[in-house]
């Protein structure tokens, strides 16, 4: 598996400790690889990425993508790795669990040949943190409440809802007075 490792640029470390090349020097800058965990029923996958200097030096660990909560009862689990190296040296990796559609991401800047790398961001969870979700939910509720209040106010202004002239008294109130007139005339 390590044949020609001097030309390897980016690799992942397999369960047996060997490096599997994802990108070689001179390769196109996009890769799609299908991965399976080392053993069936494995609850988590840790995919470690390494940068290999062009001079054949020791590979440098540049990041890990952890995928916890793999289904234990569904037989063989398949993960789809999509990797792109941008023009500026930004490595973008996404690993998708095929069955659930869950995605984990890693973005980092590759080291220059004589420098070190800097991480743009470490593993980005597929679901935003709960705190951010609560704030988004609160802002959504406030936005809907403000919209409903505005709609209610416009309805009141246009229809004069709640402002009605008093209705004339019912006929039954004026009838007893008429009867008294008739009674006094007969006497």
């Amino acid at each position: 598996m390590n044949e020609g490792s001097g030309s390897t640029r980016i690799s992942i470390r397999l369960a047996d400790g060997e490096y599997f090349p994802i990108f070689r020097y001179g390769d196109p800058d996009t890769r799609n690889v299908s991965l399976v965990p080392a053993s069936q029923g494995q609850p988590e996958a840790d995919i470690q990425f390494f940068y290999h200097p062009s001079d054949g030096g020791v590979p440098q660990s540049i990041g890990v993508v952890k995928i916890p909560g793999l289904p234990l009862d569904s037989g063989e689990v398949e993960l789809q790795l999509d990797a792109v190296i941008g023009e500026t040296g930004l490595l973008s990796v996404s690993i998708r669990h095929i069955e659930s559609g869950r995605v984990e991401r890693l973005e980092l800047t590759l080291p220059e040949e004589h420098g070190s790398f800097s991480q743009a961001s470490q593993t980005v969870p597929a679901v935003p943190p709960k705190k951010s979700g609560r704030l988004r939910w609160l802002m959504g509720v406030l936005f809907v409440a403000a919209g409903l209040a505005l709609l209610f106010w416009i309805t009141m202004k246009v229809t004069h809802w709640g402002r009605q002239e008093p209705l004339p008294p019912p006929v039954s109130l004026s009838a007893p007075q008429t009867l008294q007139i008739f009674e006094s005339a007969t006497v």
Side-chain angles (χ1 to χ4, degrees), residues 141-161:
V141 168
L142 290 175
F143 180 75
V144 169
L148 289 174
L150 179 64
L151 183 64
F152 181 73
W153 180 77
I154 290 172
T155 302
M156 297 247 329
K157 287 293 185 185
V158 170
T159 63
H160 301 292
W161 190 27

Side-chain angles (χ1 to χ4, degrees), residues 91-106:
L91 173 65
S92 299
V93 176
S94 65
I95 299 175
R96 182 172 21 107
H97 179 243
I98 302 295
E99 287 181 29
S100 69
R102 193 173 95 214
V103 177
E104 299 292 332
R105 291 184 169 79
L106 173 73

Side-chain angles (χ1 to χ4, degrees), residues 23-63:
F23 291 103
R24 295 183 186 271
Y25 285 98
D27 276 352
D29 291 339
T30 59
R31 278 289 180 266
N32 302 77
V33 179
S34 181
L35 304 171
V36 292
S39 62
Q40 191 171 2
Q42 184 175 327
E44 178 176 292
D46 294 344
I47 301 166
Q48 298 177 339
F49 291 86
F50 290 86
Y51 172 77
H52 298 258
S54 62
D55 62 6
V58 177
Q60 302 172 18
S61 176
I62 56 174

Side-chain angles (χ1 to χ4, degrees), residues 3 13 29 40 88 127 160 181:
E3 304 124 18
R13 183 176 282 174
D29 291 339
Q40 191 171 2
T88 60
V127 179
H160 301 292
I181 295 172

Side-chain angles (χ1 to χ4, degrees), residues 5 9 11 17 19 21 32 48 59 61 65 74 81 86 96 113-115 121 136 149:
S5 63
R9 184 174 181 190
S11 69
Y19 296 105
N32 302 77
Q48 298 177 339
S61 176
V65 176
S74 67
L81 180 143
R96 182 172 21 107
E113 279 306 308
H114 303 291
S121 67
R136 181 178 285 170

Side-chain angles (χ1 to χ4, degrees), residues 9 28-30 84-92 108-110 112:
R9 184 174 181 190
D29 291 339
T30 59
V84 175
I85 298 177
E87 292 177 12
T88 60
L90 180 71
L91 173 65
S92 299
L108 51 94
T109 304
L110 294 178
E112 296 176 15

